[in-house]
C-alpha cells in the first residue's frame, strides 16, 4: 500500500530520516477517537441541525428550487474545494490543531447567526460560510484521526468517529424541529449556540491532552515521513498536488462521478415541502432518520473495509442512486425510503471513503491528499446539486434516469480503481 510503505520507510524516495519518537500520548488511540467523536457529535448537533431546515428556510425567504440547489451545492463545494488550500497549508505549517480549531470556530459562529434578520442574501452567505469552516478544519482533522487509526485499523477508527458524529446529526434535527415548532426558525438556529460553545471547550481540552497524535503511528512502528521542509523542492514551484499517485487520482475520479448523481438534503427537504408530503416542521425528523442510518452504514462498511478494502465501496453508487431516485418520487413512503438510503450513502461517503485516502498516499502527504480528494468531489457535487435542482424544478421526469445513469458510470469507475490498487488496502491495519 502506498500509505503503508511510505510510513514504514519514511526515507524511501524522500531522503528523510525517521523522526525521533516522542513521548506517549496521554490518551489511548481508542479514547482519542472517541473524544474526537464527541467533538464531532456536538458539532453535528450544530450544523446538521441547521442543514435539516436549510431548504425550507431558504424557501421561506423567497428562494426557488434552482436557487436552493445552487446554494446548497455551492455550500458543499465550498466545504470541499477550498480544502485544496487548507490541506497543503496545514501540511506546510504542521499546525493541525490550529487549523482544526479555527474551522470548528467558524462553523459554530455562522450557524447561530442564521437566527438574525439577515435576509435571503445574508442567509445564503452564512450557509456557505458554515461549509467554509468545514473546509478549513477537515484535512487537518482527518490527518489527526488517521494517525490514531493506525493501531486499530483506519476503517474502524473513521467508522467509530462517524457513528458518534451521526449521533449528533440525529439529535440536532430533533432539537431544531422542537425549537422551530415552538418559536419558528429564529429559535431553531439560535439554540444551536449552546452545543457550539461545548465544541470548542472539548476540542481545546483534547488538543492539550494529545498535542501530537502522530505518536500513535510511531508507537506501532509506522513512522510517517516528515512534511517537506521550508525551501525544499516541494515548496519551490513544484505543484503541491504532485506525488499523490495514479491510484489516488483514479479514486478521486470515482468519487467525483458518484457525487455528481447524489442530491443534497437541502434539495430533498425542499421537495418534501413543495410536494406537500410533509410540513416544514417535520423535515428535520426525516433528516434525523437519515442520519441514524448514516451511523449504522458507517460502522458496517468501515469494519468491512479493514477486511476487504476498496471493493466495499460498491455499496456507494448503489445506495446513492437508489436513495436519490426514491427521494424525489411523489409519494411519502418511497421518499422516506429514499431518505434512509440517502443517509446510508452519506455514512459510506463520510467514513469509509475518507479512510481509504490514508492508504493510497504517502503518510506525509495526507493533508494535501484529503484536500485534493474533497475538492474533486466537491466540484462534482456543486455541478450535480445545480443540475439536479434544475431537473427537479423544470424536468422532473428526467431526474431519475439521469441519476441512475451517473451511478452506473460510477460503478465502472470503481472497477477501474480496484484494478490498479491493492484489493485490500485496510487489511494490514486491521491485523495489527
Amino acid at each position: 500500500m502506498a500509505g503503508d510503505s511510505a510510513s514504514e520507510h519514511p526515507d524511501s524516495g524522500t531522503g528523510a530520516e525517521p523522526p525521533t519518537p516522542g513521548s506517549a500520548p496521554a490518551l489511548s488511540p481508542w479514547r482519542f477517537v472517541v473524544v474526537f467523536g464527541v467533538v464531532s457529535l456536538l458539532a453535528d448537533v450544530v450544523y446538521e441541525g441547521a442543514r435539516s431546515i436549510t431548504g425550507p428556510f431558504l424557501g421561506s425567504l423567497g428562494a426557488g428550487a434552482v436557487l436552493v440547489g445552487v446554494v446548497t451545492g455551492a455550500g458543499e463545494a465550498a466545504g470541499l474545494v477550498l480544502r485544496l488550500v487548507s490541506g497543503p497549508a496545514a501540511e506546510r505549517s504542521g499546525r493541525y490543531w490550529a487549523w482544526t480549531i479555527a474551522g470548528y470556530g467558524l462553523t459554530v459562529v455562522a450557524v447561530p447567526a442564521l437566527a438574525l434578520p439577515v435576509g435571503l442574501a445574508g442567509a445564503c452567505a452564512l450557509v456557505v460560510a458554515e461549509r467554509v469552516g468545514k473546509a478549513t478544519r477537515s484535512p487537518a482533522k482527518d490527518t489527526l484521526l488517521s494517525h490514531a487509526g493506525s493501531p486499530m485499523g483506519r476503517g474502524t477508527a473513521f467508522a467509530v468517529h462517524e457513528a458518534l458524529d451521526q449521533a449528533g446529526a440525529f439529535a440536532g434535527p430533533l432539537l431544531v424541529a422542537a425549537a422551530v415548532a415552538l418559536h419558528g426558525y429564529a429559535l431553531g438556529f439560535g439554540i444551536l449556540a449552546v452545543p457550539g460553545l461545548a465544541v470548542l471547550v472539548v476540542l481545546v481540552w483534547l488538543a492539550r491532552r494529545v498535542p501530537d497524535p502522530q505518536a500513535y503511528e510511531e508507537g506501532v512502528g509506522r513512522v510517517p515521513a516528515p512534511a517537506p521542509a521550508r525551501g525544499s523542492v516541494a515548496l519551490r514551484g513544484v505543484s503541491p498536488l504532485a506525488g499523490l499517485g495514479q491510484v489516488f487520482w483514479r479514486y478521486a475520479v470515482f468519487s467525483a462521478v458518484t457525487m455528481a448523481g447524489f442530491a443534497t438534503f437541502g434539495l430533498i427537504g425542499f421537495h418534501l415541502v413543495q410536494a406537500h408530503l410533509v410540513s416544514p416542521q417535520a423535515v428535520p425528523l426525516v433528516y434525523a432518520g437519515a442520519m441514524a442510518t448514516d451511523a449504522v452504514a458507517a460502522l458496517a462498511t468501515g469494519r468491512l473495509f479493514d477486511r476487504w478494502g476498496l471493493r466495499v465501496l460498491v455499496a456507494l453508487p448503489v445506495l446513492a442512486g437508489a436513495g436519490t431516485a426514491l427521494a424525489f418520487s411523489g409519494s411519502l413512503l418511497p421518499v422516506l425510503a429514499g431518505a434512509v438510503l440517502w443517509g446510508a450513502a452519506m455514512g459510506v461517503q463520510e467514513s469509509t471513503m475518507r479512510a481509504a485516502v490514508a492508504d493510497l498516499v504517502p503518510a506525509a502527504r495526507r493533508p494535501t491528499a484529503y484536500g485534493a480528494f474533497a475538492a474533486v468531489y466537491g466540484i462534482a457535487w456543486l455541478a450535480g446539486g445545480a443540475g439536479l435542482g434544475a431537473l427537479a424544478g423544470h424536468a422532473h421526469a428526467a431526474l431519475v434516469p439521469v441519476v441512475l445513469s451517473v451511478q452506473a458510470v460510477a460503478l465502472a469507475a470503481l472497477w477501474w480503481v480496484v484494478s490498479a490498487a491493492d484489493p485490500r488496502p485496510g487489511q494490514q491495519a486491521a491485523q495489527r
Side-chain angles (χ1 to χ4, degrees):
M1 295 178 292
D4 285 345
S5 99
S7 58
E8 290 170 359
H9 304 286
D11 55 333
S12 177
T14 67
E17 293 297 326
T20 302
S23 58
L27 302 177
S28 70
W30 271 104
R31 289 187 66 192
F32 179 87
V33 169
V34 169
V35 175
F36 220 151
V38 170
V39 171
S40 287
L41 184 157
L42 293 167
D44 268 42
V45 171
V46 177
Y47 67 80
E48 298 290 17
R51 291 172 80 193
S52 71
I53 56 171
T54 295
F57 174 62
L58 294 177
S60 74
L61 296 176
V66 174
L67 181 58
V68 171
V70 169
V71 170
T72 55
E76 297 300 340
L80 299 166
V81 175
L82 291 179
R83 300 182 203 188
L84 277 174
V85 177
S86 63
E91 183 177 305
R92 287 194 299 270
S93 70
R95 301 182 64 185
Y96 300 143
W97 280 120
W99 283 89
T100 302
I101 293 169
Y104 276 114
L106 179 55
T107 290
V108 302
V109 169
V111 168
L114 286 165
L116 303 174
V118 294
L120 178 58
C124 291
L126 287 171
V127 167
V128 174
E130 181 272 309
R131 295 285 87 186
V132 171
K134 190 170 180 66
T136 301
R137 68 180 178 264
S138 288
K141 181 199 71 175
D142 287 346
T143 299
L144 295 171
L145 189 59
S146 74
H147 290 314
S150 186
M152 55 193 287
R154 292 194 186 101
T156 299
F158 276 89
V160 169
H161 180 270
E162 176 67 7
L164 288 167
D165 182 274
Q166 293 314 302
F170 178 79
L174 297 182
L175 174 63
V176 168
V180 170
L182 181 65
H183 200 64
Y185 289 119
L187 181 61
F189 289 116
I191 199 171
L192 298 175
V194 176
L197 177 61
V199 167
L200 298 180
V201 171
V202 178
L203 185 61
V204 170
W205 178 87
L206 182 60
R208 290 175 64 87
R209 292 287 288 170
V210 187
D212 183 18
Q214 179 175 301
Y216 292 122
E217 208 153 344
E218 294 169 355
V220 292
R222 296 165 53 84
V223 184
R230 188 174 300 278
S232 69
V233 173
L235 299 180
R236 290 202 307 265
V238 176
S239 169
L241 301 182
L244 297 181
Q246 182 189 79
V247 177
F248 168 80
W249 288 114
R250 289 192 181 194
Y251 185 64
V253 169
F254 155 68
S255 70
V257 174
T258 194
M259 295 310 294
F262 189 51
T264 64
F265 191 83
L267 191 57
I268 294 173
F270 181 86
H271 170 70
L272 284 169
V273 174
Q274 293 298 304
H276 304 290
L277 298 175
V278 301
S279 67
Q281 293 83 1
V283 172
L285 302 180
V286 179
Y287 189 72
M291 292 300 96
T293 308
D294 180 320
V296 174
L299 287 170
T301 59
R303 192 64 178 171
L304 289 173
F305 170 78
D306 284 336
R307 293 181 60 84
W308 301 108
L310 293 171
R311 289 188 175 92
V312 171
L313 292 175
V314 71
L316 182 57
V318 174
L319 292 170
T324 301
L326 287 172
F328 286 94
S329 67
S331 302
L332 181 59
L333 288 180
V335 170
L336 294 179
V340 169
L341 294 177
W342 180 92
M346 282 295 294
V348 178
Q349 179 222 338
E350 291 284 349
S351 61
T352 309
M353 285 188 74
R354 288 159 52 211
V357 171
D359 281 318
L360 296 177
V361 299
R365 305 309 314 281
R366 286 178 201 162
T368 293
Y370 277 118
F373 170 73
V376 168
Y377 81 72
I379 293 171
W381 210 355
L382 171 59
L388 294 180
L391 290 175
H394 303 291
H396 197 280
L399 190 148
V400 171
V402 168
V403 165
L404 296 181
S405 297
V406 170
Q407 297 303 340
V409 174
L411 285 172
L414 179 61
W415 176 86
W416 181 54
V417 176
V418 172
S419 69
D422 183 340
R424 292 182 291 173
Q427 186 183 39
Q428 205 170 55
Q431 290 176 343
R432 281 192 305 274

